[in-house]
């Protein structure tokens, strides 16, 4: 699919995500919306991963470190063919269901359980280092939330990734500037994230619009050319992206829409998708 088709697909998957949350009675809807384009770009444009090669040791590897955005992840995995979207919608967050509120590696396509923040990057450093030691060509990707960067394990992993020259590792910060308690800069400010990661020895790419498939594509392509150091994409996104009901509102970090909110959100998604068609 081309950039426009992928951008429109992101809105279809947003609708699946909202359905999941409405049916399941819970979910981290705001972060689902901000990270959607990153997941779509990785799974449909960048990564060598599919249901057919899931057991291949040369497949690319992905960990959703900000595991509370699992609803968007389930929607993407279903579209990719790993899961059945109707089953996910029916069973998500129900008692005894395997479709739980954080990634579950008992499900096909999920490499590790995540959601304990600060774990994704350290594990991916290990995966990338193993690839180097085994002389594999696969690449390793992870997505973190900006609130997650308050975890010290992130920075230990950042040092290790530089030390071992892991140019097969690409991390993304979903920089939506909001977390459950409010604005990240009020809670644990990050100042200049570009300068901070660069000082840890990373190649850093600022993605001005982290909800732009085109800009994400270019950034991931640049990351593939970097030698001798890991790459960090700082994707400047909008929490609740896609509907004015949710956008840039910390209260939508975890929220189940009312019927009125649901109807307006779905209408907004359709309008945004139609605008992309006509661009």
């Amino acid at each position: 699919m081309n950039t426009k088709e992928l951008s429109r697909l992101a809105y279809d998957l947003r609708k699946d995500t909202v359905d999941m949350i409405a049916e399941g009675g819970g979910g981290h809807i705001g972060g689902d919306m901000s990270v959607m384009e990153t997941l779509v770009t990785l799974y449909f444009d960048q990564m060598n991963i599919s249901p057919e090669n899931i057991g291949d040791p040369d497949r690319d590897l992905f960990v959703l470190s900000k595991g509370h955005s699992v609803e968007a992840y389930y929607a993407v995995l279903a579209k990719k063919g790993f899961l059945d979207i109707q089953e996910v919608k029916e069973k998500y967050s129900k008692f005894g269901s395997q479709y739980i509120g954080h990634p579950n590696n008992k499900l096909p396509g999920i490499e590790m359980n995540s959601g304990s923040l600060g774990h994704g990057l350290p594990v991916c450093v290990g995966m990338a280092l193993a690839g180097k030691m085994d002389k594999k060509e696969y690449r390793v990707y992870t997505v973190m939330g900006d609130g997650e960067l308050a975890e010290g394990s992130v920075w230990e992993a950042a040092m290790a990734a530089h030390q071992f020259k892991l140019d097969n590792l690409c991390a993304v910060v979903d920089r939506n500037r909001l977390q459950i308690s409010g604005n990240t800069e009020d809670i644990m400010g990050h100042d200049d994230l570009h300068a901070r990661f660069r000082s840890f020895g990373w190649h850093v790419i600022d993605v001005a619009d982290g909800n732009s498939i085109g800009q994400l594509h270019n950034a991931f392509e640049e990351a593939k050319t970097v030698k001798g150091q890991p790459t960090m994409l700082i994707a400047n996104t909008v929490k609740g992206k896609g509907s004015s009901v949710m956008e840039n509102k910390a209260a939508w970090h975890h929220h189940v829409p009312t019927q009125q909110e649901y109807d307006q959100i779905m209408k907004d998604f359709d309008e945004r998708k139609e605008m992309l068609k006509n661009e």
Side-chain angles (χ1 to χ4, degrees), residues 4 8 11 268-279:
K4 182 179 288 189
R8 299 183 75 228
Y11 279 95
D268 289 346
F269 288 168
D270 285 338
E271 289 177 354
R272 299 272 182 109
K273 183 180 175 182
E274 190 63 23
M275 287 172 61
L276 288 166
K277 180 181 179 181
N278 296 326
E279 283 183 356

Side-chain angles (χ1 to χ4, degrees), residues 54-84:
I54 191 59
D56 187 343
D58 295 317
R59 71 187 183 282
D60 290 336
L61 300 172
F62 173 77
V63 173
L64 182 64
S65 190
K66 52 171 288 180
H68 51 285
S69 291
V70 71
E71 300 88 11
Y73 192 24
Y74 286 156
V76 169
L77 287 173
K79 185 64 178 180
K80 190 71 178 179
F82 288 102
L83 307 173
D84 178 85

